[in-house]
Amino acid sequence: MRSPRLRLIAGLLLTPLLSGCFSSSGDNSSSGSSDSDGDGRVRVALAFPPAENYSPYGQDAVALSRLGVVEGLTRLDANGTAVPALATSWSSEQGGRSWLFTLRDAKFQDGTDVTPKAVATALTRAAAADPAPAVLSGVKLTAEAVGDDQVKVGTATADTVLPLRLTNPNLAVFSPKAYAQNGKVDPVGTATGPFELTKITGDTAATLDRFDDYWGGRTQASGVDAKYVSDGTARANALRTEDVDIAEALPVAQVASLDQDTVHEINTARNTSLYLNTRKGVFKDAGLRAAAREAIDTSAVAKGVYENYAEPAQGLFGPALTWASGKRTEPAGRAKPADAKGKSITVATYNDRPELAEAAQVLQQQLEEADFTVKLDVRAYARLESDLLAGKFDAAVVSRNMMLDTGDPVTVLAGDYTCAGSYNLSLLCDKGVDKLVADAQAESDPAKRQDAAMKAEAAILGTDAVIPLVHLKVVTGVGTSVKGAVLDPYEREFVGTGTRR
């Protein structure tokens, strides 16, 4: 038995949305002032290399956000509320079908001004992307410039959470020169964030420099040197040997061997779940999906794999989302488990988060005890994502932050579990689920919206398209010389204007 870990963030103030909040090992404010370490560069090790050449319309947008490169009209605060970013204020019109955003004075990293026309072009390009960003699943978005400092953003139907939706990194704003005629977007030197992406070394590294004209003030670090290190043990070793200053997603197996002053954990809305392919193969049969669910002991994953850095899943929305527990209902209409009869299945996962491969091995044993024949396929996420989305596996063990897209629970359900969802790993297409998600999307009152989301959750779980395994904490390694590292429950921020060493 490994020794207990030091719980460095115990006692964080509970918020209405998350039992965790933005935290840092120093001042994270935009002071704009220099200090004795102001010329230093911060070295970071990230787990997930770019899978789409830094396209802002997929998962790579999160990396651009975490490195401080991009921003949109709004951003999420610790309470999951949309607050100003490139827009200083906004108001709704036409019952939520149209929103008017007033822009602040800001510059792109190429030196040009952020104008209403440039913002409208950026949002229009995102809305036309193929495949559509997950945050726009089921949403027809339009944007147009209004006067000298405003942008009107519209949707085909009322969208009461549009300011939340616009916090998503997929809807970041780039200068006009970033957009090529073939639909590609070049983020090098064209964004608006505090750090400018200046050099890309394939999918292994990136170099970023301070953007001196950032509207929020100059960063205290002169730049960021990012390495993409898929192997979790290698990330921990790089932190231990001081080759990097900050390392994300540390394996729990490595925590005991690190200086406890460098280990920081935070509650998140992240789950690890088993997604079952409902469109083709063995798990097209609802009875066999039920058999898989019955075979799985989630406590073995929580204790044996995550060593209590997670707890057995209660549903899609875990205990970090404090509003969810009192609204949960039991799934209805589940099929009766069928006899697996030795049916062969392939379970995929990725090794960028090292616990996933181990969790897949535990599930393999449990499923084989239920008379499935199980083959594992473990790759780096960058080489797995396209096959996951294409449904080339019977099942997949995936870690997903349920509030990453917008901070709105309904939006992630639309993107992950509806017929038109663009990150629908289970390939689920169920009319009943789609109706309940649509009903939830129509709710504007926050409490009623949450109630509707939980009804949709129950229907989704009733299909056994997904089997939630555990709710996670994320462990980040921060060198003792580093100040201002950002610990973000939404996992969108990693370095900020106050990050320095």
Side-chain angles (χ1 to χ4, degrees), residues 68-73 85-86 106-110 112-114 119 172-175 187 189-196 211 213-216:
V69 176
V70 301
E71 57 191 353
L73 294 181
L86 290 176
K107 287 187 176 295
F108 290 110
Q109 293 161 352
D110 61 9
T112 60
D113 291 334
V114 176
V119 172
V173 174
F174 297 88
S175 72
T190 61
T192 64
F195 290 105
E196 178 182 352
F211 175 39
D213 289 331
Y214 179 56
W215 63 263

Side-chain angles (χ1 to χ4, degrees), residues 73 107 138 168 176 191 227 246 255 276 280-281 301 303 314 321 323 331 350 380 382 434 442 468 471 484 490:
L73 294 181
K107 287 187 176 295
N168 189 286
K227 296 179 181 179
I246 310 175
V255 171
L276 304 182
K280 57 186 177 182
V301 179
K303 295 178 181 178
Q314 300 173 25
L321 303 170
W323 53 264
Y350 44 99
D434 276 21
H471 305 301
Y490 299 103

